[in-house]
Amino acid sequence: MRKSLLNIFLLFLSVLFTGLRAQEYIADDPFETMIRLGSMNVKNPIYQMPSGQAGNAYIISAITSGDAVRYPLGYTVTSAPDRHFIIVSKATTLVEKERQFDLIIEENVSISGQFVTIYTDWDRDGVFVSQDHSSLSMRDKGFTVSFQVPADAELGKARIRVRLDSSRPSGSDVAVSGGRVYDFVVYVMDKTDREDCYISVSSSDEKLGTAVIETVANIDGRYDKGSSVTVKAGLFSSSSSAAANFEGWKVGQDIISRDQTYTFTVNESMHIIAVFSTIEPELSATQTSTEADPVWYQIKNAHTATERADPYIAYDENLTGECASNLCAERPADISNKFLWRLESVPENKVKIINKTSMKQIYGSGVLETQELTAFSLKLYDGY
């Protein structure tokens, strides 16, 4: 009896979603529409994951724009993925049949010498079809692909596969060597007569700054064509964060404004990225460190991994919660003496780095060694 009831319930769900007409599954909220589209097909296609090894190139941003777009894609990353095959599904886009849209890609390096191939699966049969190369518009560090969503495209979740290869691939599923493969999940819906647009924004690096839309949308969260929308970028000023610079608002590789507060006219659904970068310190002219007038420096780790970034070498007689020993690497909020050091050469092909607070040194031979360095007392000139 229980099994029969379960079968009846599953049959009800199948009829409920697969039998929906356009006006029934389309909601004012694009996220609700995508949820309903994702539920319409009980069985999803199975895609083959290409094997291979990753190269240096990777996609740092991917957005969609055009008449077909009901909700724009806004995919951004600040570091290389740890694998060669990436499924982009958390950031996605909603497009209409029989309309055109662009997929705008920006990479971390020049695409010179790179083979870019595009594949689509609009009929959701799990088999990719190669996109005509004439739809590709190449740029220095990226490209734009133009799509016409077919009238007979299946409703629901489709995929666009983007391959970045070091040599021309023979198909969508072959192994990749020195490149990456991206599968972008795309939701397909029926064509509508709706004229208002969806605008979204994001920060290129949420550790450096924020991006917000200041203009209030209509009741459906959209903006009428021809209306004005204002977006604003904010810089983080926390002393524990890296100094940041706002470079501008970007669509693909194009900076469309360098104003932190930017107002534009809505023509289509689109995603805009607020681009931030760290301010690189300017190196000053070489200063001579003398016995009477020593030059003191901070020593900072240049590693970019989150858990290893920004520590400075410090020597402190009073242990802090971050340090288990007097000599350690910690993240300072000041430039006190415990973080200040000077470098001196000594006889016998050796060097020493001297701490300003304790007058203790990091001491080693002229040959780089694998052993850990320690700090110990050293008699120096009076006052140094």
Side-chain angles (χ1 to χ4, degrees), residues 354-369:
I354 305 168
N355 178 250
K356 188 173 183 179
T357 297
S358 63
M359 294 302 119
K360 292 188 176 183
Q361 70 175 8
I362 300 174
Y363 189 93
S365 68
V367 179
L368 294 179
E369 299 176 355

Side-chain angles (χ1 to χ4, degrees), residues 25 34 37 64 67-71 93-101 122 149 155-156 158 160 186-191:
Y25 77 80
M34 287 188 279
L37 283 169
T64 53
D67 291 337
V69 178
R70 300 313 299 163
Y71 181 79
T93 188
L94 175 63
V95 297
E96 294 185 3
K97 294 182 182 182
E98 303 179 70
R99 292 187 184 273
Q100 182 273 338
F101 75 96
W122 296 118
V149 185
L155 297 177
I160 296 174
V186 178
Y187 287 82
V188 178
M189 62 181 287
D190 284 299
K191 184 179 180 181

Side-chain angles (χ1 to χ4, degrees), residues 220-270:
D220 297 327
R222 301 171 185 267
Y223 300 89
D224 295 327
K225 284 187 177 181
S227 64
S228 295
V229 171
T230 298
V231 292
K232 185 174 183 179
L235 288 163
F236 288 135
S237 58
S238 171
S239 58
S240 61
S241 300
N245 178 60
F246 174 68
E247 295 187 2
W249 294 97
K250 180 179 281 190
V251 175
Q253 290 189 63
D254 298 321
I255 294 289
I256 58 176
S257 175
R258 296 192 182 278
D259 298 328
Q260 281 189 244
T261 301
Y262 168 55
T263 300
F264 62 95
T265 301
V266 176
N267 294 313
E268 60 187 9
S269 294
M270 64 187 304

Side-chain angles (χ1 to χ4, degrees), residues 46-95:
I46 298 175
Y47 296 96
Q48 182 173 336
M49 182 182 74
S51 60
Q53 294 181 334
N56 294 326
Y58 62 94
I59 294 173
I60 61 175
S61 73
I63 65 173
T64 53
S65 66
D67 291 337
V69 178
R70 300 313 299 163
Y71 181 79
L73 170 68
Y75 169 78
T76 59
V77 297
T78 57
S79 59
D82 58 2
R83 55 195 181 280
H84 69 281
F85 178 62
I86 302 96
I87 299 176
V88 182
S89 58
K90 290 184 178 179
T92 188
T93 188
L94 175 63
V95 297

